[in-house]
Amino acid sequence: MSFALAITLHVLSVVVWVGGMFYAYMAMRPAVGQVVEPAKRPALWANTLERFFRWVWLSIVLILATGFWMIFGVFGGMANIGLHVHLMMGLGLLMMLLYFHVYFAPFRRLKIAVANNAVEEGAKRVGQIRKIVGINLLLGLAVIVIAVMGSRM
Ligand code: HEM
């Protein structure tokens, strides 16, 4: 795998993950609040997030594989990377932990609530997911700034 291919796959995966969060948070969330009646919102979110999260899993695998391949295969190990890559890795791993939490806690409970027609419980879980995705979106945008500016300084 060449450096060019690795960084291309790395950035494409970032586009899918961070762009998807931007769309969900900035466009879909306010639209759902205006257009969709409250009883149907949890099922809509469970359905759309289920599809989006499949792509996030793939993105995470590719970000980790290409990121660590670049560090060890191109730069020659952790001792040789710049501060921007350390920050990217630290914040990137934090984003992944937050995503794992969303996936295995509130999102799993949201799906159970939808299956049981528990609208109030579902709405509560959607609210929890929204908060954490909001944090991850900000982190993701910050990491892109750090990575792109840092690699040119
Ligand atoms: C554990 C996770 C990660 C590792 C090990 C990693 C590693 C790397 C490495 C080694 C590079 C090449 C840096 C250079 O050429 O100076 C890179 C580039 C990049 N990374 Fe990551 N990364 C990770 C996560 C992320 C995340 C979560 C994002 C964004 C949300 C991100 C965004 C970028 C971008 C935009 C570039 C291209 C920088 C440029 O050349 O303009 N990375 N990453």
Side-chain angles (χ1 to χ4, degrees), residues 7-38:
I7 203 153
T8 302
L9 282 174
H10 192 79
V11 173
L12 279 178
S13 307
V14 165
V15 167
V16 168
W17 186 10
V18 180
M21 290 194 291
F22 189 90
Y23 169 77
Y25 199 92
M26 302 302 289
M28 180 153 163
R29 181 183 57 94
V32 168
Q34 278 192 0
V35 177
V36 182
E37 56 181 276

Side-chain angles (χ1 to χ4, degrees), residues 42-64:
L44 176 62
W45 279 114
N47 197 293
T48 46
L49 290 175
E50 176 85 62
R51 291 161 205 275
F52 175 53
F53 285 166
R54 281 181 214 146
W55 292 99
V56 176
W57 282 113
L58 178 64
S59 297
I60 287 177
V61 168
L62 288 173
I63 288 169
L64 287 173

Side-chain angles (χ1 to χ4, degrees), residues 10 14 63-64 67 70-71 75 84 88 140 143 147-148 151-152:
H10 192 79
V14 165
I63 288 169
L64 287 173
M70 287 187 279
I71 292 176
F75 298 111
H84 71 288
M88 171 169 21
V143 174
V148 174
S151 63
R152 279 155 190 82

Side-chain angles (χ1 to χ4, degrees), residues 17-150:
W17 186 10
V18 180
M21 290 194 291
F22 189 90
Y23 169 77
Y25 199 92
M26 302 302 289
M28 180 153 163
R29 181 183 57 94
V32 168
Q34 278 192 0
V35 177
V36 182
E37 56 181 276
K40 290 192 171 155
R41 287 176 201 166
L44 176 62
W45 279 114
N47 197 293
T48 46
L49 290 175
E50 176 85 62
R51 291 161 205 275
F52 175 53
F53 285 166
R54 281 181 214 146
W55 292 99
V56 176
W57 282 113
L58 178 64
S59 297
I60 287 177
V61 168
L62 288 173
I63 288 169
L64 287 173
T66 54
F68 284 106
W69 185 84
M70 287 187 279
I71 292 176
F72 291 99
V74 180
F75 298 111
M78 300 291 273
N80 298 322
I81 55 176
L83 176 64
H84 71 288
V85 181
H86 284 290
L87 286 170
M88 171 169 21
M89 191 172 35
L91 293 173
L93 292 174
L94 176 63
M95 287 175 66
M96 291 169 198
L97 289 179
L98 288 171
Y99 170 73
F100 298 153
H101 173 71
V102 163
Y103 191 86
F104 292 110
F107 178 60
R108 195 178 59 83
R109 299 203 174 97
L110 168 63
K111 286 191 287 185
I112 295 170
V114 169
N116 294 331
N117 258 321
V119 174
E120 211 173 304
E121 162 77 5
K124 193 173 134 198
R125 301 305 172 190
V126 170
Q128 291 175 331
I129 294 170
R130 186 194 66 225
K131 275 190 209 131
I132 302 172
V133 169
I135 295 169
N136 249 1
L137 172 58
L138 287 174
L139 283 173
L141 294 172
V143 174
I144 292 172
V145 172
I146 291 168
V148 174
M149 305 248 316

